[in-house]
Amino acid sequence: MIILHIKQALEIIFGERGQPSVAHPFSAEHGLVIGQLACEEKSNEITAIPKLLEMLEIKGCIVTIDAMGTQTEIAKAIRDKEGDYILALKETMDKLVFKVYYRNIIYLAGYFNR
């Protein structure tokens, strides 16, 4: 499992509060960070994640990402490299939360009506 962890770099190192954001892919199996990529200035992790995915061999891996990384393009990039994903959802993602909830209800209804 690869956990894509995004955090603000330490203020002590960079001198500016909250800059820059750094993306860290973490291998849960090995217990170590397997890469690091600073986000471009005036950008965020949404632009860094696809670049990290290009660098990593994720075939057969499960990639987890927080709600910020729940983007169609990111999910497609993971699937294109034959990986799987667990993406977080926030309640503010109304339409997506509804679709996931609705599909699960339909699936469960079919499962229990066998």
Side-chain angles (χ1 to χ4, degrees), residues 21-106:
S21 291
V22 180
H24 303 276
F26 179 82
S27 170
E29 180 181 352
H30 298 98
L32 52 93
V33 173
I34 56 176
Q36 182 175 0
L37 183 65
C39 300
E40 295 175 12
E41 193 173 328
K42 296 188 180 187
S43 186
N44 61 27
E45 51 267 30
I46 294 172
T47 59
I49 291 171
K51 292 175 185 175
L52 273 173
L53 291 172
E54 287 176 20
M55 293 186 252
L56 298 171
E57 176 58 50
I58 61 170
K59 182 177 181 178
C61 292
I62 300 171
V63 178
T64 64
I65 305 175
D66 67 6
M68 173 76 78
T70 301
Q71 305 287 325
T72 304
E73 300 81 20
I74 292 172
K76 183 179 180 332
I78 294 168
R79 296 301 300 148
D80 287 349
K81 292 191 77 171
E82 299 181 39
D84 293 300
Y85 54 82
I86 300 172
L87 303 176
L89 298 177
K90 283 185 165 183
E91 290 181 17
T92 56
M93 300 172 170
D94 298 336
K95 291 179 183 177
L96 185 56
V97 169
F98 177 78
K99 286 179 183 179
V100 170
Y101 179 77
Y102 180 76
R103 286 183 183 171
N104 284 324
I105 294 297
I106 298 299

